[in-house]
Amino acid sequence: MIKLISFKNCPFVQRVMGALEMKEVPYEIEYIELNNKPQWFLDISPNGQVPVLITENKTALYESDAIVEYLDDKYAPIEELNPEEKAINRAWSYQASKHYMPQCSTMSSKDKETYETRLANLAKSFARAEKKLGENTYFKGDYISNVDIAWLPLLHRAYVIKEHSGIDMLEGFPKVQQWQQALMESGLPQRTVPSDFIERFSSYYLTNNYFASVIEKKPTCAPACCSSEANSDSCCC
């Protein structure tokens, strides 16, 4: 069985897990701490980063783009594509993965001004997706493609931020918001993160930063307003 070496908050790992889950490929997963990398991991990861995929032949593969392409070559692809379509898919997937770290930086902003400046740059990627998205459930149709999987970490993290702070990183992009909701309802986000993801994510991105200050100012919900009669509504590589 193949094994995935991971860090619990890593968006690049979530992308690889999305590909494995959609292909229904059995795999094991082992988590490490990036601030205390074991020597055996450093011996097999040339760049010292996750994800690393150990194949059935005991070959260590690294870089999420390369791993996703390997999974398409090794196992049945999610969809049959000609060379041009594959290139377009890769381009749109790259549009997502190159913004994983900028999103991490945005979420780590210490104050509102820094957050808004960083978000303005990150929002350019959402604006491009907004122009491309049609009336489909997902990016390309009524099925989850490699492009959806690549964008999943961005959309999932934006969802968690909104749920906990009320701040919507996708404000002004209704098609992207609908796409985000479809992915959340698919159950894929929950299958591609560890059980304690929200706790770990919150402890890193929702404390001692801009989001934490917003959360502190949110009014505490009284029991009456939550009744049934009331309206209720670290990156790695």
Side-chain angles (χ1 to χ4, degrees):
M1 183 181 294
I2 63 177
K3 176 184 281 190
L4 182 63
I5 312 301
S6 172
F7 166 59
K8 288 192 172 185
N9 270 356
C10 181
F12 297 89
V13 170
Q14 185 176 17
R15 178 188 178 191
V16 172
M17 290 181 70
L20 289 166
E21 289 289 332
M22 290 304 301
K23 294 174 182 296
E24 299 182 345
V25 177
Y27 65 98
E28 298 176 354
I29 188 163
E30 181 171 347
Y31 293 108
I32 64 168
E33 294 295 337
L34 290 190
N35 59 357
N36 187 26
K37 302 171 187 175
Q39 187 58 48
W40 63 262
F41 171 75
L42 295 174
D43 290 340
I44 64 174
S45 177
N47 56 15
Q49 297 173 331
V50 295
V52 170
L53 185 75
I54 310 298
T55 71
E56 294 173 340
N57 295 326
K58 307 303 179 183
T59 301
L61 306 180
Y62 55 97
E63 297 291 348
S64 57
D65 287 329
I67 294 173
V68 170
E69 288 189 23
Y70 163 79
L71 294 174
D72 267 350
D73 290 338
K74 177 70 174 179
Y75 305 97
I78 294 175
E79 54 181 337
E80 295 294 338
L81 301 171
N82 61 41
E84 290 82 5
E85 291 170 330
K86 286 182 180 179
I88 293 172
N89 264 20
R90 287 170 181 155
W92 274 104
S93 295
Y94 177 66
Q95 283 295 314
S97 63
K98 75 177 183 178
H99 286 95
Y100 292 170
M101 296 305 288
Q103 186 186 46
C104 290
S105 177
T106 302
M107 295 186 300
S108 301
S109 300
K110 295 299 184 181
D111 54 66
K112 183 177 181 180
E113 181 180 2
T114 303
Y115 169 76
E116 291 180 344
T117 299
R118 292 174 177 175
L119 180 63
N121 290 323
L122 179 63
K124 295 175 184 177
S125 64
F126 299 134
R128 284 190 284 270
E130 182 77 12
K131 290 178 64 176
K132 179 65 175 178
L133 287 167
E135 301 302 322
N136 300 318
T137 302
Y138 302 109
F139 190 84
K140 300 180 67 179
D142 59 357
Y143 62 94
I144 295 176
S145 69
N146 279 340
V147 178
D148 297 285
I149 293 169
W151 283 80
L152 174 64
L154 292 174
L155 302 180
H156 185 199
R157 282 155 177 74
Y159 180 87
V160 176
I161 290 295
K162 182 180 179 181
E163 285 289 292
H164 287 76
S165 72
I167 298 174
D168 191 353
M169 303 179 80
L170 306 181
E171 185 176 359
F173 305 114
K175 291 182 180 180
V176 178
Q177 290 172 327
Q178 292 174 8
W179 181 26
Q180 176 195 53
Q181 188 61 36
L183 281 171
M184 293 305 302
E185 292 175 355
S186 74
L188 186 60
Q190 296 82 354
R191 302 201 306 273
T192 53
V193 292
S195 58
D196 60 349
F197 171 75
I198 298 297
E199 177 183 351
R200 283 176 168 264
F201 180 89
S202 299
S203 67
Y204 193 90
Y205 290 112
L206 296 173
T207 59
N208 300 317
N209 62 7
Y210 169 57
F211 294 134
S213 67
V214 172
I215 292 171
E216 289 175 0
K217 294 176 182 177
K218 290 176 66 177
T220 302
C221 183
C225 75
C226 296
S227 66
S228 58
E229 291 81 9
N231 292 326
S232 60
D233 289 320
S234 358
C235 290
C236 37
C237 56

